[in-house]
C-alpha cells in the first residue's frame, strides 16, 4: 500500500479543509401558511405543495 513520504503541513492540511465548511440549507416559505419549509418539499405544517394539499391529517 502506498504510504505518504512526508507529513502534510498544517498549511496544506488547512488549505484542503477550506472547502469542507457546511452551507446553510436553502429555505423557502409555504404559499398557504407562510411557514418556512424546504424547497421542493410539501409544507410540514399544513401539508400543501404547489397550491394543493398533498398530505392529509395536517391542519388547514
Ligand atoms: Zn404550509
Amino acid at each position: 500500500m502506498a504510504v505518504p513520504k512526508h507529513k502534510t503541513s498544517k498549511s496544506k492540511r488547512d488549505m484542503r479543509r477550506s472547502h469542507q465548511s457546511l452551507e446553510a440549507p436553502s429555505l423557502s416559505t409555504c404559499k398557504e401558511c407562510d411557514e418556512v419549509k424546504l424547497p421542493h418539499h410539501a409544507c410540514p405544517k399544513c401539508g400543501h405543495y404547489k397550491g394543493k394539499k398533498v398530505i392529509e391529517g395536517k391542519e388547514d
Side-chain angles (χ1 to χ4, degrees):
M1 200 171 85
V3 173
K5 201 164 242 178
H6 298 285
K7 179 174 179 171
T8 305
S9 68
K10 289 171 194 168
S11 172
K12 283 290 173 189
R13 180 201 63 196
D14 293 347
M15 278 193 260
R16 178 173 65 239
R17 292 181 185 173
S18 72
H19 303 282
Q20 292 182 5
S21 65
L22 280 172
E23 222 173 273
S26 58
L27 295 170
S28 66
T29 48
C30 176
K31 284 189 178 65
E32 298 294 322
C33 67
D34 288 327
E35 193 75 5
V36 176
K37 68 171 197 67
L38 291 171
H40 309 116
H41 285 253
C43 173
K45 190 175 175 227
C46 69
H48 277 79
Y49 185 68
K50 287 198 169 183
K52 282 172 70 180
K53 193 172 185 184
V54 293
I55 302 173
E56 292 300 327
K58 298 279 179 186
E59 68 174 75
D60 182 301

